[in-house]
């Protein structure tokens, strides 16, 4: 992931409604959730939710699929993993602690 993409993703997640929507979609897994279900769960008007989902779409964190008159949204798990990898790329690189290195799965940073 490039720095500008990471900035866009973090900016999109930097709003409470967008973060809540993204977390709902991550929880839903590959099946995703319908826009109306997300709006109901978050108790936000559909127009407001559409604005926030558009921001997440533009940041590449979610994907959408039209299903007739409805839209299903899914978390883009590869983008999420890419962002996490970008943020932890040099994890513990400056730490002399044993067992903690940039590629270590037990990094406790």
């Amino acid at each position: 992931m490039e720095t500008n993409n990471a900035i866009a993703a973090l900016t999109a997640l930097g709003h409470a409604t967008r973060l809540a929507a993204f977390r709902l979609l991550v929880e839903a897994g590959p099946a995703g959730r319908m826009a109306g279900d997300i709006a109901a769960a978050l108790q936000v008007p559909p127009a407001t939710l559409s604005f926030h989902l558009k921001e997440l779409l533009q940041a590449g964190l979610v994907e959408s699929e039209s299903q007739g008159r409805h839209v299903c949204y899914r978390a883009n798990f590869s983008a999420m993993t890419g962002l996490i990898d970008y943020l932890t790329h040099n994890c513990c690189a400056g730490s002399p602690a044993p067992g903690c290195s940039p590629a270590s799965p037990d990094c406790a940073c």
Side-chain angles (χ1 to χ4, degrees), residues 86-109:
Y86 176 85
L87 293 172
T88 59
H89 177 72
N90 290 319
C91 177
C92 301
S95 173
C100 189
S101 65
S104 176
D106 49 73
C107 181
C109 299

Side-chain angles (χ1 to χ4, degrees), residues 67-90:
Q67 295 180 354
R69 297 174 63 182
H70 304 281
V71 180
C72 181
Y73 288 89
R74 294 178 183 84
N76 181 342
F77 290 100
S78 63
M80 180 182 73
T81 302
L83 178 60
I84 292 168
D85 290 345
Y86 176 85
L87 293 172
T88 59
H89 177 72
N90 290 319

Side-chain angles (χ1 to χ4, degrees), residues 20-49:
F22 184 72
R23 291 185 72 199
L24 275 177
L25 293 173
V26 169
E27 184 179 302
R33 290 184 78 160
M34 301 304 277
D37 295 339
I38 299 168
L42 299 179
Q43 298 180 345
V44 297
T48 300
L49 180 67

